[in-house]
Amino acid sequence: MSVTLSGEVERVTYENEGTSFRVLRLGSLEGDGQRRGSIVVVGTFQAVGPGTRIRVTGNYVNDARHGEQLRADVVVPIEPNTLVGLERYLGSGLIPGVGPALAKRIVEKFGLESLRVLDQEPEKLASVSGLGERRVKDIKTSWKAQRALSSVLVLLQSHGASHNLAVRIWKHYGDRAASVVQRSPYRLALEVPGVGFKTADRLAHALGISHDHPERCQAGVIHALETLSESGHVYCPREDLLPRVAELLGVGEEHIEVALDALYASERIVLERGAVYLSWLHRAEVEVADVVKRMVDVPADPLPGVERAITDFESHGKLALAAGQRRAVELAVSARLAIITGGPGVGKTTIIRAIVAVFTQKARDVRLSAPTGRAAKRLAEATGHDASTLHRLLEFDPRTADFQRGPDKPLEADVVIVDEASMIDLGLMRSLLLALPPKARLIVVGDADQLPSVGPGAVLRDLLDSQVVPTVRLSEVFRQAETSGIVKNAHTILRAEMPESASADDPRSDFFIVPRKTPEEAAETVRELVAVRIPRRFGLDPRRDIQVLTPMHKGPAGTASLNEILQQALNPDGPVLESRGQKFRAGDKVLQTRNDYDHEVFNGDVGIVTRVDLEERKLGVRFDTVDVEYEASELDALTLAYAMSVHKSQGSEYPAVVMPLLTSHFVMLARSLLYTGVTRARRLCVLVADPRALSLAVSDARRDDRRTRLAERLLPSRPTG
C-alpha cells in the first residue's frame, strides 16, 4: 500500500550520481499517522542535501539486512520553512560554491526571504560579506539551473514520471522544460528520445489537454508507426493506419488525416504510394536499395589465381569442396555483393574459411562480423580468424548513439563477410553499406528460413526475393551432418513434414520428442529434463550447457514461469536482490536485455551472477571475459536466463536445447520459429510437445509477413508509356 510522508533529510548515506540511486535518512516526519523517529528512504531520485524538506510517496519494504525502509516512487523537494532548515538546505552542496559558512551568512542577511532573493533579486547577494561580482554571477547561474531542474522534477513527478525521465526531459529542453511540458506535453513523445506516447499522454491528461488536440493526434500517429516498426514493419498502408490511430486515440479519422498532413509538412513521416513511413525508415530503405543496385551494377576488381588458391586451401585442410561450395567461393571472389544461404549441415562455415583463405593469400584485408557478440564469437572460433559484432566493426559511439564509420570515414577493409545475416535489420544494413569503401566486397551469409531480425525490415529475405543479388543456395547436407538427428529433422521441418523422435534407448541419438499436452505437465517435464535426466545421461551442466527455449513469455510454460521453476530447482539458496518480481542470486544464469556500450554487453548476452552485495544493493555478472557491476536501479537490464524466448536465442548455439511447444502457444506457432529453435541445438534437442501443437507449427508456412518495399525497390525500373 502506497504511503506519503514529509520530513527533513538528516543525512545522505549513499548516492550514485550515474544512476541517481540514493539512500537517505528522513526525520521530523509528518503524515502516515504522524510516525515518530526517522525512516530510511531508498530509490532513484534527484540529489537532496541534509536539511532539505521532501515529500516522499512509496511503499514500506523489509530489507533482510537493513530492516524497514521506504522505497520511494516519487520524491518532491519542499522549501524549508525555518532558518536552520534554510541554512542546511543552502549549505548542503546543492549550489556549487556555497558551503555551510556562506549559507549561514546568506540566511543571516536575508532570513526567510533568502530563497526569494535567489529567485528574483540575486544581485542583492553582492551585499553578503565575502561575495564578489564573479562569485555572485556563478551562484546566480547555478541556482537558476537548479531551480529549472527542480521545477521540472516537481511537475513531472507529481504526475507519476520517474526521476530519470524528468532529468532526460530537462537535459533536452534546459530552462524551457517546465514550459514545454505544461504547454505542449506531446512534444516529449515527438522530440525526446526514450519518451513514449503513453507517458506523454498521461502527463497531458493530468494537465487537462483535450483528447483531440492536434499534437496528441500527431504523437498518436508516430506512436502507431513506431509500434509497428517494433513488430518488424517498415511502413503502414494509409488505409490501415487511419482507423488504427483513430481507435487508439478515441477520435474521428478526420483528425488523423490532419495530423498526417502536419507530420508530412514537418518531414517526420513520408507518404509514398499509399504507404506511410517514419522518415528515417524510408530513408534507410531507399539508401539500402541504392547502394545494393550500385554494387550489383559495378563489377569487382578481378582477382587472378583463384583456382590455385582454392586448391591450396583444400590441400592444406585435407578436404575437397563440393560443387556448390566451390561455386559459392568463386561467386564471393567475382562479385562485389554476394549472398550465400542454406540451412544447417550444408557447409557454410567451410565456405567462409575458404573465402578468407583465398583473399588472405591474395593480400586482401578481410573483416569478419556478425550481428551479436555470441554469433561473432562462434564465427571466430569456427574460422580461426578475428570476428567482431557489427556495432564494434562500425565503431558505435554511445555518446552520440551513432556509428563513427560511414561515408566520411569508411571501413579499412577490402572484403567484409557478415554471418547470421537473417538478424540484420534495415537500419543496421544501411549503416554497414554506407561504411563500405568504394571498391570493397560484401559477402552476406545466412539462413533465410530463420526468424527475421528483431528490428524493422526483412533484409536477407528481401535481397533474395529481389533476385538481383548474385546468390548461391546450398542444399546438400554433408556426410558428417547426415547422421545428426538435429540436422535431419531441421530439414524435415522445412519440407513441412513432421520431425521424428529417436528411440529413448539409442545412445547415439540427439533428437527427442517428449509428448505432453498441458502447460503444467510440460513445465514439470522441462524441470525434470534440465535438472535431472539430461545431466545424468549426457553429462551436461544444467546451467552452462542446457538452454530452455519457449515461444512465449506468459503462461505456465512461458519464460517467466519456467525461469522461476528452474531457479528453484538449480539455485534455490543464497542472498537475494529482487527487481521487478525476479530474484537474483549468485550462480544464476541471466540475460542482458538491452545494449550497454559502456560495459560492452549487449541485448541477448548471457552471463552468470558472481556476486550479490546486499549492503550496497549491487550485483556482479560475468559475461564470457567481461565482468559487469549492476546497481539496484540497473537491474531492469537483466532477466533470468534459464529459459528465454526463441527470438532471443537467434545467433546462438547451445550444447542442448529443451523446447516446450503447446497449443497455448498457438499465436506463435510457425514453421520458422520451430526451425529456429531446433537449429540452436548443437549436441542435443528435446521437444516437450503436444503433437497437435507440433503439427500446427510444421504446417504453418506463414512467413513473418512484414511490410517492406526493399525487394520492390531493387527491381529494374519498368519503362513508362
Side-chain angles (χ1 to χ4, degrees), residues 287-526:
E287 289 180 339
V288 167
D290 287 346
V291 177
V292 167
K293 286 191 286 188
R294 191 160 62 245
M295 293 184 75
V296 169
D297 291 342
V298 178
D301 290 340
L303 198 68
V306 171
E307 284 299 320
R308 176 59 185 271
I310 293 175
T311 301
D312 289 346
F313 168 77
E314 292 176 315
S315 176
H316 181 74
K318 297 180 181 179
L319 56 82
L321 294 176
Q325 291 178 310
R326 181 176 286 267
R327 192 164 62 252
V329 177
E330 291 170 346
L331 175 67
V333 171
S334 63
R336 281 199 62 209
L337 175 61
I339 298 175
I340 300 167
T341 186
V346 297
K348 295 192 295 293
T349 301
T350 300
I351 292 168
I352 295 175
R353 288 171 45 222
I355 294 169
V356 171
V358 169
F359 280 115
T360 302
Q361 188 182 104
K362 299 302 176 182
R364 299 301 193 271
D365 186 6
V366 181
R367 302 290 297 274
L368 299 185
S369 192
T372 69
R374 291 169 297 169
K377 183 181 178 183
R378 287 198 300 111
L379 182 60
E381 291 171 347
T383 62
H385 193 89
D386 288 341
S388 68
T389 63
L390 282 167
H391 278 77
R392 178 170 289 180
L393 178 74
L394 299 173
E395 297 179 15
F396 183 84
D397 185 349
R399 294 169 299 178
T400 61
D402 203 357
F403 298 108
Q404 295 184 56
R405 294 289 181 175
D408 298 329
K409 186 184 177 183
L411 293 166
E412 297 171 2
D414 300 310
V415 183
V416 176
I417 303 173
V418 181
D419 197 13
E420 296 287 356
S422 62
M423 299 176 66
I424 303 177
D425 62 33
L426 185 63
L428 188 55
M429 178 56 84
R430 169 189 176 270
S431 297
L432 173 62
L433 290 173
L434 293 179
L436 291 174
K439 294 186 177 181
R441 292 169 167 86
L442 175 62
I443 301 157
V444 176
V445 183
D447 185 347
D449 293 308
Q450 300 277 359
L451 288 170
S453 59
V454 174
V459 175
L460 180 60
R461 184 197 76 186
D462 288 346
L463 293 177
L464 291 168
D465 286 353
S466 73
Q467 299 185 25
V468 302
V469 180
T471 300
V472 170
R473 295 176 183 265
L474 303 163
S475 57
E476 180 185 353
V477 177
F478 290 96
R479 193 176 310 155
Q480 61 269 31
E482 287 178 341
T483 59
S484 167
I486 296 171
V487 172
K488 176 183 175 183
N489 279 293
H491 287 277
T492 298
I493 291 166
L494 286 182
R495 295 194 299 270
E497 299 172 6
M498 287 288 282
E500 295 182 1
S501 177
S503 167
D505 300 326
D506 185 351
R508 298 169 300 173
S509 55
D510 61 4
F511 186 90
F512 300 92
I513 301 173
V514 181
R516 294 291 184 270
K517 288 195 174 181
T518 71
E520 292 77 13
E521 289 175 334
E524 172 56 25
T525 300
V526 168

Side-chain angles (χ1 to χ4, degrees), residues 454-671:
V454 174
V459 175
L460 180 60
R461 184 197 76 186
D462 288 346
L463 293 177
L464 291 168
D465 286 353
S466 73
Q467 299 185 25
V468 302
V469 180
T471 300
V472 170
R473 295 176 183 265
L474 303 163
S475 57
E476 180 185 353
V477 177
F478 290 96
R479 193 176 310 155
Q480 61 269 31
E482 287 178 341
T483 59
S484 167
I486 296 171
V487 172
K488 176 183 175 183
N489 279 293
H491 287 277
T492 298
I493 291 166
L494 286 182
R495 295 194 299 270
E497 299 172 6
M498 287 288 282
E500 295 182 1
S501 177
S503 167
D505 300 326
D506 185 351
R508 298 169 300 173
S509 55
D510 61 4
F511 186 90
F512 300 92
I513 301 173
V514 181
R516 294 291 184 270
K517 288 195 174 181
T518 71
E520 292 77 13
E521 289 175 334
E524 172 56 25
T525 300
V526 168
R527 183 202 64 77
E528 184 182 359
L529 285 165
V530 174
V532 182
R533 291 168 59 182
I534 292 176
R536 186 169 57 200
R537 176 167 174 175
F538 295 93
L540 296 174
D541 183 279
R543 277 181 280 192
R544 186 183 64 246
D545 298 330
I546 306 173
Q547 184 60 57
V548 175
L549 302 178
T550 181
M552 298 183 73
H553 293 291
K554 296 181 179 180
T559 57
S561 179
L562 288 173
N563 270 317
E564 189 175 332
I565 292 169
L566 292 169
Q567 183 190 48
Q568 184 60 32
L570 300 174
N571 195 33
D573 301 317
V576 170
L577 266 184
E578 192 166 345
S579 173
R580 297 176 299 123
Q582 287 193 108
K583 297 175 180 178
F584 297 104
R585 298 186 179 95
D588 276 335
K589 182 160 67 170
V590 291
L591 176 77
Q592 177 79 10
T593 60
R594 61 173 178 250
N595 292 337
D596 182 342
Y597 298 100
D598 292 328
H599 292 113
E600 294 194 344
V601 291
F602 302 98
N603 186 4
D605 284 353
V606 175
I608 298 292
V609 177
T610 56
R611 182 174 61 87
V612 173
D613 187 329
L614 294 179
E615 186 168 348
E616 295 194 4
R617 295 185 58 76
K618 293 180 179 179
L619 209 65
V621 180
R622 178 79 170 177
F623 295 94
D624 288 331
T625 59
V626 178
D627 288 299
V628 180
E629 185 173 82
Y630 293 81
E631 305 281 349
S633 59
E634 299 173 309
L635 292 180
D636 61 347
L638 292 176
T639 185
L640 292 173
Y642 299 102
M644 70 173 69
S645 68
V646 178
H647 284 81
K648 283 288 186 184
S649 72
Q650 286 178 270
S652 296
E653 278 188 356
Y654 311 97
V657 164
V658 177
M659 183 176 174
L661 208 68
L662 303 156
T663 54
S664 59
H665 297 148
F666 175 78
V667 69
M668 298 297 295
L669 294 180
R671 192 181 304 157

Side-chain angles (χ1 to χ4, degrees), residues 93-99 138-139 142-143:
L94 193 69
I95 313 170
V98 178
D138 290 343
I139 293 173
S142 298
W143 178 255

Side-chain angles (χ1 to χ4, degrees), residues 27 39 88 107 120 124 217 238 255 350 395 455 621 626 645 712 721:
I39 185 73
R88 295 186 68 190
V107 174
Q120 301 175 16
K124 286 187 175 182
C217 296
R238 185 176 184 134
H255 294 287
T350 300
E395 297 179 15
V621 180
V626 178
S645 68
E712 181 182 335

Side-chain angles (χ1 to χ4, degrees), residues 190-249:
L190 297 173
E191 298 173 356
V192 182
V195 178
F197 170 77
K198 291 181 180 178
T199 299
D201 202 36
R202 186 172 65 248
L203 290 169
H205 180 74
L207 292 165
I209 305 295
S210 66
H211 76 290
D212 60 354
H213 193 282
E215 287 184 3
R216 181 172 188 259
C217 296
Q218 292 173 38
V221 169
I222 297 297
H223 172 67
L225 290 173
E226 287 177 343
T227 301
L228 287 166
S229 75
E230 290 168 2
S231 299
H233 299 292
V234 178
Y235 71 87
C236 182
R238 185 176 184 134
E239 61 186 19
D240 292 348
L241 186 64
L242 288 170
R244 175 188 286 266
V245 182
E247 182 180 0
L248 169 72
L249 302 182

